Amino acid sequence: MTASTGNNSTATFAFGPSQETDILDYKTKEGKKEFEKATTGLDKKFDGKADKMIAFKEELRDRTNDHGWDGDKAVNIIMIPKDGQTPGNDDLNVLDKYGQLSIQTLTLWANRFIVAKQDRRSQNNHNMVKCLKKSISSEVRAYIALKKNQYTVKDVEIAPMLYKCIMGRAEVDTKSTCAVIRRELSNLDSKMQELECNVSKFVEDVRQHVISLENRGESMNDEDLLLNIFTGLREVKDKTFREKFMRLEDEVMMSETFLTPEELLTKAETNYKVRIQTQQWEALSPEEEEIIAMQATITKLQDENLKLVANKQGKKGGSRQKTRKIKARDQWKFENKKGLKELTRGDNTYYWCPYHNDGKGMWTAHKPSEHKGKPDDVKTKSKKKKKDSNDENDENADPNVQAMAAVQELGESDDESDSDGSQG
């Protein structure tokens, strides 16, 4: 297409100076400038990771458009005929459909349109090769160095083949890969848990898997994919978000609302970002806040009661310490291994009275027959105390009741100590 200029000359219409079909003259200033711009590496080097594929491809697409690599058929190195030989309306864009273009097809194309040619298309191929090599990490460069035969035809490096090889660093182009992708798209609930409910990362992951399938000429049924996405969204911890999309799922299942998988992903990500920005994400509901406040109050009361019980036990421990000192000093009073009824120590005579020491007996100054009270008083009292103690344990399972019982028992313990000291 031509257009008239102000000096009555004609010019070929193009969106940029590099989109013309003429051979680039690298002896000129314009030619050198075009070469430098076309062969400069992309802004971000591709590290071969699957999650960086989209960004790498889109930046390369911009470079392709800027320098006419996808322009007129006479210079185009992006649109590849399905048979590698005959350009037509069904040519495949290698940036998107590299998985559908075999090495054999690309080799046929290279032999016909690039190798031994001295035209703008071969120049574009050369410039794209240089751009690609400058746009990959050292790890990816090492990877493609071992596969040079996959992108070289008669010692000429072919840009579309090099691109396919680079993308193969992130994806293994086999049928098993498609099976893995489908399986992962069928387990989006696990993926959401793995991503800790980050909906933006979840959406990006789903899109990447869908694109990976499309690159291989395959796809997943929209209805199945939609259900799988809803399954993943049900795993979100944010109650408001989760319930909203559960209602939406019901509407879709009842045919009240129609959604494509991409529309659902967009809606989910938008809602997620809004709730994050407004600090509503995973915020507590009024009911949940009330429950937490009640739990805090209960915990505080339990802590106070435990301190009260500890203080009570500390006092009883002091009393026991005193008792243990008495037993250590008069230990003989509680020992009767020979089963004697009478014992002389110094000038004093002692008698074994079985009604002391909770029925275990001890040496006393009085005879058993002189023991004050009925002989069964001690045993009966001991059994009653044990029974009462078991009843209290059952009734006072609640920490608050235990605390009050501990205070009461402390007072009773002091009274019993005075009573035992006066017995006999």
Side-chain angles (χ1 to χ4, degrees), residues 328-343:
R329 184 184 60 193
D330 298 328
Q331 186 64 34
W332 66 271
K333 291 184 177 181
F334 303 95
E335 297 178 352
N336 187 9
K337 296 179 180 179
K338 295 181 180 181
L340 300 176
K341 294 183 178 181
E342 187 175 318
L343 179 67

Side-chain angles (χ1 to χ4, degrees), residues 35-86:
F35 177 79
E36 291 176 0
K37 287 185 176 180
T39 59
T40 299
L42 302 177
D43 291 341
K44 293 183 179 180
K45 289 190 175 183
F46 181 51
D47 59 4
K49 301 296 176 58
D51 59 345
K52 306 292 177 54
M53 288 173 57
I54 295 178
F56 172 69
K57 181 168 62 177
E58 292 309 310
E59 191 173 355
L60 181 61
R61 196 190 305 277
D62 289 341
R63 178 65 60 87
T64 294
N65 295 335
D66 291 342
H67 296 278
W69 299 342
D70 62 346
D72 188 277
K73 289 185 177 182
V75 300
N76 197 307
I77 58 172
I78 301 300
M79 302 301 295
I80 310 296
K82 285 186 175 182
D83 62 359
Q85 298 285 316
T86 310

Side-chain angles (χ1 to χ4, degrees), residues 17 108-109 146 149 170 175-176 180 191 250 255 281 300 332 351 372 395 404:
L108 288 173
W109 176 84
L146 299 175
N149 63 317
K175 286 294 181 181
S176 61
V180 171
K191 176 57 67 173
D250 290 339
S255 300
W281 185 251
K300 182 179 179 181
W332 66 271
Y351 305 91
K372 294 181 179 181
E395 294 173 359
M404 297 303 296

